[in-house]
Amino acid sequence: MTARSGPLIGSVFGLIFVLANAGALPAPVGALAQGIAFAVFVAIVLTLRRRAARLSAQARAAGPRFGSGFWIVVAGELIAIAAGLVVLNGPLDAPRATVAWISLVVGLHFVALAFTLHQPFLHALGAAIATCGATGLVLAAAGASNAAIATIAGVLPGALLLCAPARRDPRPGLPVGRAPREVV
């Protein structure tokens, strides 16, 4: 798997976040959010396909690959999500907080990836998603509605993930693991 897969992977999870959580919103609002998310996802896929078509097969195959640091961060993320879900659904009996926990961990995963991949853009994305998750945990603990928790901890992080490909460094040949250089 190459690093060029990152925007597509993030977009898939962004779409899943929105589709899974917008159902907690009132019918017309939830359906509209899901429709917009799907349309944005389709636009992202088409844009990524056009970019890939411009690259030669050799350039695509030789693109930067995710290294061991990436996989360690992902493994940590999966373990943290699973452990948190066991605690939230078991001893804490707080299943409404699960989406918030997932968002918090996903956000922290992006912060770790920012360091691992030397991609400063991921710091802001990770911090924003982690903040949504932490806010969702506070809302769940305070007894807020499912719609409020789903919006803050599910729909909003999904929208951030869907918008993220537009904020990435547009230079397709930039190797992962190297920070973009400033032009003076």
Side-chain angles (χ1 to χ4, degrees):
M1 180 180 325
T2 68
R4 288 189 186 96
S5 309
L8 180 60
I9 294 167
S11 297
V12 167
F13 282 104
L15 179 63
I16 291 169
F17 262 73
V18 174
L19 294 179
N21 292 289
L25 304 175
V29 175
L32 180 62
Q34 290 170 329
I36 291 170
F38 187 75
V40 168
F41 177 75
V42 168
I44 290 167
V45 169
L46 294 174
T47 300
L48 293 174
R49 287 186 75 200
R50 280 194 298 271
R51 282 185 194 165
R54 284 185 285 208
L55 295 174
S56 69
Q58 184 179 19
R60 282 193 300 274
R65 302 212 176 268
F66 290 129
S68 60
F70 171 84
W71 294 110
I72 290 169
V73 170
V74 170
E77 173 191 27
L78 295 175
I79 291 166
I81 287 173
L85 293 180
V86 167
V87 171
L88 288 170
N89 289 308
L92 293 181
D93 191 30
R96 293 176 347 116
T98 58
V99 69
W101 175 253
I102 292 168
S103 291
L104 176 64
V105 174
V106 167
L108 295 175
H109 139 271
F110 278 111
V111 171
L113 284 180
F115 289 108
T116 303
L117 303 176
H118 304 284
Q119 296 291 319
F121 146 78
L122 295 177
H123 286 289
L125 177 63
I129 293 172
T131 299
C132 291
T135 303
L137 288 171
V138 169
L139 290 172
S145 70
N146 286 340
I149 297 166
T151 300
I152 298 299
V155 175
L156 185 54
L160 290 168
L161 285 169
L162 282 168
C163 293
R167 299 286 305 154
R168 287 191 69 126
D169 192 310
R171 297 171 285 175
L174 183 68
V176 171
R178 297 250 166 84
R181 293 194 175 145
E182 295 296 324
V183 177
V184 181

